[in-house]
Amino acid sequence: MTTSKLRSRIAGMVALVSGFLIVASGVSAHGLLLFVLEFLKDKVPNYLLGLTGEFASLAIQVLAVIITMGGITVILGGIALLSARLFTGRLLIALGGGAGFFGLVITMTYSVLTMGLPTIITHSEYWIGVILAVIARSLARRK
């Protein structure tokens, strides 16, 4: 087994654990990506005419649903990585677990500022799951 295949398998297993932690935590926090999509959902149809605007709005809503599924999306990304579908797996992990390291930092900082540090500690399984999702996504990079 080559190094890239091994890294992909390890990333898939880490993503599965990550997704199960996010689902088990029961927390639903998707921060920046969902905020941007909610903003775009109202603005995009105003700039695109006819069916184009409707299709764009529908695509934004579908993407929002995928992001909202969180841990389930990360689990599907882990399955994709185990099936050697690197791009699909990394994309699903990014959507379900947050945008990546910067998304994690922004979301965690926002949570600490608005709800305080005890909230981070209370929902530690969620944050561990998100951190593992970021690690899985970075492990799945092509080298």
Side-chain angles (χ1 to χ4, degrees), residues 12-13 31-32 34 45 52 65 69 72-73 83 114 122 137 141:
M13 289 184 274
L32 194 59
L34 208 51
T52 308
V65 167
M69 290 183 354
I72 295 170
T73 307
S83 302
T114 57
T122 303
R137 188 168 180 261
R141 284 198 177 118

Side-chain angles (χ1 to χ4, degrees), residues 49-80:
L49 300 174
L51 283 176
T52 308
E54 294 300 321
F55 283 129
S57 181
L58 178 65
I60 290 170
Q61 289 175 345
V62 167
L63 194 55
V65 167
I66 291 170
I67 291 170
T68 305
M69 290 183 354
I72 295 170
T73 307
V74 174
I75 292 169
L76 293 174
I79 292 169

Side-chain angles (χ1 to χ4, degrees), residues 40-57:
L40 289 176
K41 183 177 74 172
D42 297 332
K43 303 294 182 197
V44 167
N46 296 334
Y47 295 102
L48 299 174
L49 300 174
L51 283 176
T52 308
E54 294 300 321
F55 283 129
S57 181

Side-chain angles (χ1 to χ4, degrees), residues 12 24 37 72 78 84 93 96 104:
L37 286 177
I72 295 170
I93 291 169
L104 172 67

Side-chain angles (χ1 to χ4, degrees), residues 29-40 67 98-100 102-108 110:
H30 304 287
L32 194 59
L33 284 176
L34 208 51
F35 176 77
V36 169
L37 286 177
E38 287 298 319
F39 176 77
L40 289 176
I67 291 170
F102 291 115
L104 172 67
V105 170
I106 290 169
T107 304
M108 195 173 268
Y110 178 77

